[in-house]
Amino acid sequence: MRIAQEQGKILSNLEVAPNIFLLNLGLPQVAETAQPGQFVHLRIGPLPDPLLRRPFSIHRTKPEEAEVSILYQVVGGGTKLLSQKRRGERLDCLGPLGRGFAIPKRAGRFILVAGGIGIAPLIFLAETLLRKEKRKKMEVVFLIGAASAEYILPESELLCWGVAVQVATDDGSKGHRGPVTDLLTRQVDRSVESCHIFACGPEGMLKEVAQIAGQQKIPCQICLEQRMACGVGACLGCVVKTRSGYRRVCVDGPVFPAGEVIFE
Ligand SMILES: Cc1cc2nc3c(=O)[nH]c(=O)nc-3n(C[C@H](O)[C@H](O)[C@H](O)COP(=O)(O)OP(=O)(O)OC[C@H]3O[C@@H](n4cnc5c(N)ncnc54)[C@H](O)[C@@H]3O)c2cc1C
Ligand code: FES
């Protein structure tokens, strides 16, 4: 896999929900080669602060326009600084990094489970599945969990080309009241035939998704968002415990078979 270092030009950086921003960058090489589940490592400010790059999933690509989108939530100093960047500024970007989702060869029922900002890589995945899929017998179900309705992206940001979208919120302000894994349980109770689960979100949610998939013997891939330093396999700062020993999330993942990961 070719990793590029590019000076991405900011095309737009807009708040699309409270503290959630959509950043569009001109990144020709990343746009050309990125796969869903891979990430970019952005240098947000001049050294020394923040010292480390920050990793973000690739949310969408438009190769024909040399564009890459990142969907991010402001949680600390780095993302705050990122939210203040304006159109025309440039960001040093390494990518695409990591191993993304393995796209199943056969059509089936693909259930995508997003918790909070974990929706970011799953939109790219859904678009890729649908693009590859002129396959007839395919169903994509998108289960989205968030704290409340205001954190659910506007419909224009969600893809709705025949995708069944279901929403769960912690406070019940939109869709099902409760965790998104309740929706997953309902889906797998309906049928597990040709199912494949893909998930990204907080660790507690991923643990539960892995349990549900394991009990029903459904193939499941999860995208981990461990804290990272180098992002290229050198520092061991991002290791996760798996059935085959410690693995580096930045190069061996961030996507892993759910049954591989040992949650603490
Ligand atoms: C492969 C990968 C893909 C990611 N994709 C996205 C994405 O698409 N959109 C997005 O908004 N974020 C994503 N993240 C998380 C993002 O990298 C962090 O939110 C960001 O680095 C925080 O930087 P900061 O300087 O704002 O926060 P910091 O000041 O570094 O931290 C602020 C707070 O956030 C917590 N925090 C920081 N990083 C993480 C993390 N990785 N997991 C859990 N808690 C964390 C810290 O413990 C602290 O409490 C991804 C992370 C990885 C590893
Ligand atoms: S972040 Fe350095 S090895 Fe993964």
Side-chain angles (χ1 to χ4, degrees), residues 1-5 29 94-98 232:
M1 172 60 67
R2 200 159 35 96
I3 298 170
Q5 182 168 14
Q29 296 187 58
L94 266 187
L97 297 174
V232 291

Side-chain angles (χ1 to χ4, degrees), residues 139-161:
E139 186 188 354
V140 178
V141 182
F142 212 135
L143 310 179
I144 299 171
S148 64
E150 58 185 343
Y151 294 103
I152 305 288
L153 297 183
E155 293 297 308
S156 60
E157 289 303 323
L158 301 174
L159 42 115
C160 299
W161 334 292

Side-chain angles (χ1 to χ4, degrees), residues 96-127:
L97 297 174
R99 284 172 193 242
F101 291 102
I103 307 287
K105 292 211 166 58
R106 289 200 179 172
R109 193 156 152 255
F110 301 136
I111 306 178
L112 279 53
V113 190
I117 200 68
I119 195 168
L122 295 180
I123 298 265
F124 186 15
L125 173 67
E127 287 185 344

Side-chain angles (χ1 to χ4, degrees), residues 52-258:
L52 300 173
R53 290 173 182 269
R54 296 292 192 265
F56 297 96
S57 299
I58 296 165
H59 171 56
R60 271 192 168 126
T61 62
K62 284 191 204 155
E64 61 291 349
E65 286 159 53
E67 255 185 70
V68 170
S69 306
I70 308 298
L71 185 73
Y72 67 94
Q73 184 164 25
V74 175
V75 294
T79 43
K80 177 82 188 154
L81 191 59
L82 186 58
S83 72
Q84 292 160 352
K85 299 279 175 191
R86 295 286 165 261
R87 185 187 161 98
E89 290 185 62
R90 290 194 180 260
L91 287 172
D92 186 300
C93 167
L94 266 187
L97 297 174
R99 284 172 193 242
F101 291 102
I103 307 287
K105 292 211 166 58
R106 289 200 179 172
R109 193 156 152 255
F110 301 136
I111 306 178
L112 279 53
V113 190
I117 200 68
I119 195 168
L122 295 180
I123 298 265
F124 186 15
L125 173 67
E127 287 185 344
T128 305
L129 288 171
L130 291 161
R131 212 176 297 130
K132 288 214 180 218
E133 280 307 326
K134 300 295 175 224
R135 307 187 249 198
K136 297 269 185 314
K137 289 182 190 150
M138 189 195 60
E139 186 188 354
V140 178
V141 182
F142 212 135
L143 310 179
I144 299 171
S148 64
E150 58 185 343
Y151 294 103
I152 305 288
L153 297 183
E155 293 297 308
S156 60
E157 289 303 323
L158 301 174
L159 42 115
C160 299
W161 334 292
V163 174
V165 177
Q166 291 182 20
V167 170
T169 49
D170 296 344
D171 64 1
S173 51
K174 187 162 181 175
H176 168 76
R177 182 195 198 105
V180 68
T181 44
D182 288 353
L183 300 178
L184 177 62
T185 304
R186 278 187 212 160
Q187 284 293 327
V188 301
D189 282 351
R190 217 185 88 199
S191 157
V192 295
E193 205 185 319
S194 317
C195 256
H196 201 122
I197 300 172
F198 305 86
C200 186
E203 195 173 310
M205 182 204 95
L206 292 180
K207 186 176 177 182
E208 211 167 309
V209 169
Q211 273 166 0
I212 295 168
Q215 280 156 9
Q216 303 282 355
K217 301 196 170 36
I218 302 171
C220 175
Q221 300 176 47
I222 54 176
C223 184
L224 302 181
E225 296 197 336
Q226 225 72 359
R227 298 211 72 182
M228 286 183 182
C230 72
V232 291
C235 72
L236 305 184
C238 63
V239 290
V240 66
K241 210 170 172 184
T242 73
R243 303 205 183 281
S244 46
Y246 284 98
R247 308 280 300 277
R248 294 161 300 174
V249 173
C250 63
V251 288
D252 302 318
V255 178
F256 290 89

